[in-house]
Every structure is written in structure tokens, then in C-alpha cells.
Amino acid sequence: MKRQSVTSGAPWESKVGYCRAVRKGPFIEVAGTTAMKDGKLVGVGDPYLQMTTIIEIMKKAIEELGGKLEDVVRTRIFVTNIEDFERIGEAHGVYFSDIKPASTLVEVSALVDPEMLVEVEMTAIIGE
């Protein structure tokens, strides 16, 4: 099976050895993604805006690998404050209310930047 990948352009990718997303066969895995655009965090203090920004970044990576959001079967959401879950869930629902992937939301003690409120991973499977 052919392997394709999409990079974010972040300097960490080559240092740590990862990329934004990988497709192998019909499977696409999107790495943990935060609301970083052009080296700046979008939506400081706003979990809803961070979540929508993250999904848009991930959507673009999935599309670059030949998929679409409708192919997403799993989301994993990591939040630094569980009390933000409703706003984050609302943003998730904007994109996934009809698709309804399996989803997990867990609180973590911290993300790499203290202003990051949410990080997301996705799995997509491209059908016929």
C-alpha cells in the first residue's frame, strides 16, 4: 500500500519525527492538532474558536489526502478544562452532527502551550 503524508510545516515535525496526517490505503490518521495558524494561536481564551480552527486545519489535511470530513470515523478531544466541554462539543457538532463519528473527550493536565485549550486527533477511512 502506498503511503502519503501531509506536513504542517512546523519545525517540530522534523525534530520529533511526525507529520500532520498520514494515509495508508483507505486509512487516514491525523495527528494531535491545535489551533496554531501561521505560528500563532487562534482563539486565545475561546475554546469554541480553537475547536473550529482545529477542525478546519484537519479538514484541509484530510482533503489533501483524498478524503473528506464525511470519512471521519473517530475523533479524540483533549481539553485542559473539562468545563469547556459544552462549547467544544457545540463546535464539534457544527461539523459532525450528521456524520456522528465515535468520539472521546478527556481532560488533560496541560498541553504544550498553556493558552491551548483543546487538541484533537482524527481517524478517517475512505470508502468506495
Side-chain angles (χ1 to χ4, degrees), residues 44-58:
V44 172
D46 185 341
Y48 184 94
L49 182 55
Q50 284 192 22
M51 185 66 173
T52 58
T53 300
I54 290 166
I55 294 172
E56 287 295 330
I57 291 168
M58 298 178 99

Side-chain angles (χ1 to χ4, degrees), residues 12-19:
W12 283 103
E13 286 184 339
S14 60
K15 290 179 184 177
V16 177
Y18 76 96
C19 61

